[in-house]
Amino acid sequence: MSRSPEPGPLSPVQVEVSERLPAAAVGEVRALLEAALAADGVRPVSEESELRLQHGGPVGGADLIVRDDTGTLLGYARLELPPGDPEAEAELVVAPASRRRGVGTALVARLEELAGDRPLRVWAHGELPGSAELARRRGYDRARVLLQMRRPLDGVDPDPRPALPDGVSVVTFRPATDEDAWLRVNARAFASHPEQGRWTRGDLALREAEAWFDPAGFFLAWRETPGGQELLGFHWTKVHPAGDVGDEPIGEVYVLGIDPDAQGMRLGRALTDVGLAHLRASGLSAVLLYVEEENTTAVALYERSGFTRHAIDVSWRREPRR
């Protein structure tokens, strides 16, 4: 039987740019994201981009969509152009049935136009072959690599009872009480991180409003002081339902941070153990986390804790053409 020819390139497509998509278009984009996840086995855009798609984002952000002449959605991109930031950042996804037909190229070209004189960074989740080809063809270089690491939970101590320094206790997060303390330590722990260290009260509130948020899985290490309590570190866990990042539910080390002044107190391992025990007690069989590949100290810590490399996300960067 002869093989059907692959569809050829589309006629020149029009990229629509909007500061905020209407609700109907948001629903279409969410359906496109789900279709890409089903086809590729990896979420096509970050949680941050999904939240901004649904709720809007800071000044400078934009949603880009591509439709064919029948109005069918073919592709989507999210662009961030923060005022004062020297670089622009974006993510994009093309409908599985419309790939290799010029949709991705059209989106990237429009993103480059909007970035103007700023270097542009574009995330490729899962580093699928088509994304790498497109990036190299347009002159992008690999700039950052984010590892996804996983481990089974069957070997986790269900009752770790970590040895904590005198005066330090681990308790769960209290909504409407602990936000300011957490934001302060998060900013200090991730001062050099281009995304995590910039979280605001609004960023935290969006996640507290999500269906997955559970303060029972958000652990804080406090130290008693003469003036009250001081937050030293935290381990925020998350549970992904079946179909979100795999066929089965899976836990996540969502954010794990230690205040720089509390380094050396072995709180990172203690908080990791407490969080993993919680996820195991929730009936999960595995856990994932994300870590920068260049953070060799953290990668080595996680490998000693039983994590292995599962997948990678790549940030491709392009200098503007002069």
Side-chain angles (χ1 to χ4, degrees), residues 287-309:
V287 59
L288 65 85
L289 59 81
Y290 294 91
V291 60
E292 300 279 349
E293 184 180 53
E294 67 179 17
N295 189 349
T296 55
T297 300
V299 172
L301 168 65
Y302 292 133
E303 289 177 336
R304 289 195 299 271
S305 298
F307 285 87
T308 58
R309 301 183 186 208

Side-chain angles (χ1 to χ4, degrees), residues 73-275:
L73 184 66
L74 305 179
Y76 167 76
R78 175 70 195 178
L79 175 67
E80 302 298 341
L81 287 166
D85 193 318
E87 296 192 349
E89 186 170 70
E91 296 177 277
L92 65 95
V93 55
V94 177
S98 300
R99 293 174 181 174
R100 299 187 180 276
R101 302 185 68 191
V103 177
T105 299
L107 280 169
V108 172
R110 189 71 178 102
L111 289 168
E112 291 166 357
E113 291 176 7
L114 294 170
D117 293 334
R118 303 190 201 192
L120 175 63
R121 292 174 282 117
V122 181
W123 279 100
H125 298 281
E127 199 182 26
L128 303 173
S131 62
E133 291 171 16
L134 174 59
R136 291 193 177 98
R137 189 168 66 246
R138 297 194 67 85
Y140 287 76
D141 297 313
R142 286 163 66 103
R144 289 173 60 195
V145 176
L146 190 65
L147 301 177
Q148 184 192 131
M149 305 182 73
R150 296 190 180 192
R151 65 152 293 171
L153 288 170
D154 53 6
V156 167
D157 183 351
D159 187 18
R161 298 180 183 273
L164 298 170
D166 290 344
V168 175
S169 59
V170 174
V171 296
T172 54
F173 182 85
R174 298 167 296 175
T177 299
D178 292 332
E179 282 82 357
D180 289 340
W182 182 84
L183 285 166
R184 174 184 174 277
V185 174
N186 178 70
R188 286 174 53 80
F190 294 97
S192 62
H193 194 282
E195 292 96 22
Q196 185 65 39
R198 300 178 181 178
W199 275 28
T200 65
R201 186 69 178 259
D203 294 322
L204 180 55
L206 281 178
R207 287 158 177 81
E208 288 185 79
E210 288 289 290
W212 61 261
F213 177 74
D214 180 8
F218 192 164
F219 300 95
L220 307 181
W222 295 93
R223 176 168 58 190
E224 295 293 337
T225 69
Q229 287 186 314
E230 177 186 15
L231 183 61
L232 303 180
F234 56 86
H235 181 184
W236 186 353
T237 69
K238 178 178 179 178
V239 177
H240 295 270
D244 193 27
V245 292
D247 294 335
E248 301 292 331
I250 187 170
E252 180 180 349
V253 178
Y254 186 59
V255 196
L256 175 65
I258 306 298
D259 189 285
D261 290 343
Q263 296 290 344
M265 299 175 66
R266 300 182 62 85
L267 289 175
R269 182 56 188 265
L271 284 164
T272 297
D273 290 346
V274 169

